[in-house]
């Protein structure tokens, strides 16, 4: 399975972007999928995830209320709607997937089997 992340770009502070993550072969990825981000010189950081069961969503405190993770009705594409962007949100954003992931591991990068190539998000002040 190959994940493809897209939708990044340059935006001014306060603006919005929507990232997308899709898998090869229209694989259903709408559960057990997360977004992470990594800024230069920093560790990879959990952003948001859709849990395996029930489709519950989880967010990092730093993005809660500004970002929304969702999936299309076929569960083959997962989105990250990012509003009220701040310069601190500047990073490469990655989608990651593990259909068997347990809830307590959603925020742990090493728990994911598949990773997208990353898409750059730059927020100017």
């Amino acid at each position: 399975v190959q994940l493809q992340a897209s939708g990044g770009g340059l935006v001014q502070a306060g603006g919005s972007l929507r990232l997308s993550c899709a898998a090869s072969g229209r694989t259903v990825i709408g559960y057990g999928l997360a977004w992470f981000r990594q800024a230069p010189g920093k560790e990879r950081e959990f952003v948001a995830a859709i849990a395996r069961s029930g489709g519950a969503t989880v967010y990092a405190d730093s993005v809660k209320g500004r970002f929304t993770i969702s999936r299309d009705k076929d569960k083959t594409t997962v989105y990250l709607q990012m509003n009220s962007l701040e310069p601190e949100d500047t990073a490469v954003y990655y989608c990651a997937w593990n259909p068997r992931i347990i809830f307590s591991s959603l925020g742990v990068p090493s728990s994911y089997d598949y990773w997208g190539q990353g898409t750059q998000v730059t927020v100017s002040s």
Side-chain angles (χ1 to χ4, degrees):
V1 175
Q2 292 185 326
L3 302 182
Q4 179 74 36
S6 61
L10 173 64
V11 64
Q12 288 189 329
S16 299
L17 283 173
R18 188 176 80 158
L19 306 183
S20 299
C21 180
S24 55
R26 290 184 57 80
T27 303
V28 172
I29 56 169
Y31 54 94
L33 188 127
W35 288 95
F36 289 81
R37 65 187 182 186
Q38 188 164 20
K42 293 190 175 182
E43 301 262 324
R44 193 163 293 192
E45 174 189 28
F46 170 77
V47 176
I50 296 179
R52 189 180 63 178
S53 60
T57 56
V58 182
Y59 297 92
D61 288 343
S62 59
V63 306
K64 206 170 290 184
R66 300 187 298 122
F67 291 11
T68 303
I69 189 170
S70 64
R71 59 194 178 189
D72 67 356
K73 62 180 177 61
D74 296 327
K75 301 183 180 63
T76 58
T77 303
V78 175
Y79 305 101
L80 184 68
Q81 178 67 43
M82 305 186 295
N83 299 328
S84 301
L85 283 161
E86 303 167 353
E88 294 73 23
D89 296 317
T90 295
V92 177
Y93 283 70
Y94 299 90
C95 54
W97 183 53
N98 177 355
R100 298 173 304 279
I101 195 167
I102 59 174
F103 190 87
S104 59
S105 296
L106 284 171
V108 181
S110 60
S111 299
Y112 291 87
D113 300 325
Y114 304 97
W115 288 84
Q117 84 289 0
T119 184
Q120 176 71 46
V121 171
T122 303
V123 185
S124 62
S125 56

